[in-house]
Amino acid sequence: MPKPALGVIFHPSFPPEMLVDYARRAEAGGFDELWLWEDCFWVGALTSASVVLASTERIKVGIGLMPATVRNPLFAAMEICTLARLYPGRFLPGFGHGVDGWMKQIGAAPKSSLKALEETVITVRGLLKGETITFNGDHVHVENLKLLHPPQVVPPLYIGGMREKTLRLAGRAGDGTILTEMSSPAYVRWARGQVDAGMTEGKRTDNQFAVFVQAKVNTDGSARAAVREVLAESMSWAQPHLQPLGIVDDAQALVREHGVQEAARLMPEEWVDALSVSGTPEQAVEAVHKQAEAGADSIILQPLKGDASCLDAYVKYLMPALK
């Protein structure tokens, strides 16, 4: 089994003034990838990606993810093309639905988010490949478009998703799939099945899995308590992730009956093992290995609650064992 790439997230809550130093420390610490989010009201992911690529030497930079309805496909392709030409092989752009409430708030909610996402990715890929594109779909309407400087190395286009329909779309139309935090090894295996079915539909043969995981590690055992609270807070929206573990009803009842803080304390250890990379270095390394065995091609560590100090702990305690 090939060794997975290891990545880390630059959380959008971190001030952008931290970006260059954070990226350089991640690269020096041995990380293969650094991933950025494009959450509403924080900072721009494409500008952030350009800063990281210009400030580092080898680390790959992913965006997980750009809401498909926010940018015209031509202008998205132009931005991606620029970075792909300047830094061939180092840019990993990802598209997704975006948060429904935010998309409504900014006037970018489509009639069908699935069709908008698929049409956008298909159009952007065609442009990056140097094709002349005319497309009249449900969301994308373009005529006779062609990039004048298409990249020689076309970057993979990732699609972020949680549920069956979007994961099948990722297999049908994407080059890679982004799975959000709360992705257990069981969920990764289930998602692989959905993506594989989509790949068959789209007659595609390869799809790279980037799996985000809540991660906190230290030597005194306190990391687990902090992770428990974050996991309990996430139970309300993570039903697709909990289903393959068979704990949806139990998890949601635990939070409903006891509240987040007490549910965090009562949560079984095996849930924490499955849903995070946390605890002692030995526990965290074991969790990474299980994600790799489940099919993760890139395992992306997410700093707990946007705690920037997590990076130093990853480098000190995890990277020597994993690299």
Side-chain angles (χ1 to χ4, degrees):
M1 181 179 67
K3 183 178 288 189
L6 296 172
V8 65
I9 288 170
F10 183 83
H11 198 277
S13 65
F14 299 160
E17 294 84 359
M18 288 177 50
L19 180 57
V20 171
D21 177 68
Y22 189 95
R24 288 174 174 168
R25 286 192 290 125
E27 182 174 69
F31 280 100
D32 305 296
E33 300 173 4
L34 184 142
W35 283 77
L36 304 159
W37 297 359
E38 188 157 70
D39 279 3
C40 281
F41 317 116
W42 294 102
V43 297
L46 283 164
T47 47
S48 297
S50 66
V51 168
V52 175
L53 289 165
S55 304
T56 53
E57 297 295 330
R58 59 158 189 85
I59 198 167
K60 294 183 179 181
V61 180
I63 296 180
L65 45 78
M66 295 179 283
T69 58
V70 170
R71 291 185 180 84
N72 179 281
L74 172 64
F75 284 86
M78 289 164 59
E79 299 287 356
I80 294 169
C81 173
T82 301
L83 294 179
R85 285 184 65 97
L86 289 171
Y87 307 100
R90 293 183 58 201
F91 185 40
L92 310 173
F95 289 94
H97 298 301
V99 176
D100 183 60
W102 288 341
M103 296 303 100
K104 291 177 180 177
Q105 186 177 359
I106 64 174
K111 293 180 180 178
S112 168
S113 59
L114 282 168
K115 289 181 179 179
L117 179 54
E118 186 163 14
E119 292 174 7
T120 296
V121 171
I122 289 172
T123 303
V124 170
R125 178 184 291 107
L127 290 167
L128 292 172
K129 291 170 66 176
E131 299 171 0
T132 300
I133 303 295
T134 294
F135 193 100
N136 187 26
D138 288 350
H139 176 77
V140 174
H141 304 277
V142 297
E143 183 177 351
N144 199 32
L145 305 185
K146 183 179 176 66
L147 289 179
L148 298 180
H149 297 288
Q152 292 183 334
V153 178
V154 177
L157 298 183
Y158 284 71
I159 291 176
M162 293 194 300
R163 295 175 176 81
E164 179 179 348
K165 289 182 179 180
T166 306
L167 292 170
R168 283 180 175 253
L169 188 161
R172 186 169 63 248
D175 305 302
T177 301
I178 301 167
L179 301 183
T180 65
E181 74 271 19
M182 299 294 285
S183 295
S184 67
Y187 175 78
V188 173
R189 292 188 182 94
W190 174 82
R192 270 283 183 192
Q194 310 312 309
V195 171
D196 286 347
M199 290 171 64
T200 299
E201 295 170 6
K203 298 181 180 179
R204 301 181 64 82
T205 59
D206 187 45
N207 193 286
Q208 295 293 302
F209 259 45
V211 181
F212 293 3
V213 287
Q214 294 281 6
K216 188 173 180 65
V217 58
N218 56 30
T219 57
D220 63 11
S222 62
R224 299 283 277 192
V227 167
R228 283 171 169 275
E229 185 172 345
V230 171
L231 298 181
E233 291 170 350
S234 303
M235 296 297 182
S236 61
W237 60 262
Q239 182 173 343
H241 303 81
L242 303 179
Q243 191 71 51
L245 289 171
I247 64 171
V248 174
D249 293 339
D250 290 342
Q252 295 186 343
L254 185 66
V255 176
R256 184 174 61 251
E257 294 170 10
H258 298 281
V260 168
Q261 290 188 339
E262 185 66 7
R265 188 183 68 82
L266 296 172
M267 186 182 302
E269 279 290 297
E270 55 266 29
W271 294 8
V272 185
D273 290 335
L275 294 168
S276 68
V277 169
S278 65
T280 65
E282 294 77 17
Q283 288 174 307
V285 167
E286 178 64 20
V288 169
H289 289 327
K290 288 181 179 179
Q291 289 283 359
E293 292 167 1
D297 297 300
S298 298
I299 299 167
I300 317 300
L301 306 182
Q302 181 168 318
L304 201 64
K305 288 191 172 181
D307 180 359
S309 68
C310 285
L311 175 60
D312 293 329
Y314 302 156
V315 171
K316 182 177 181 179
Y317 297 121
L318 290 185
M319 299 309 284
L322 294 173
K323 299 295 285 188

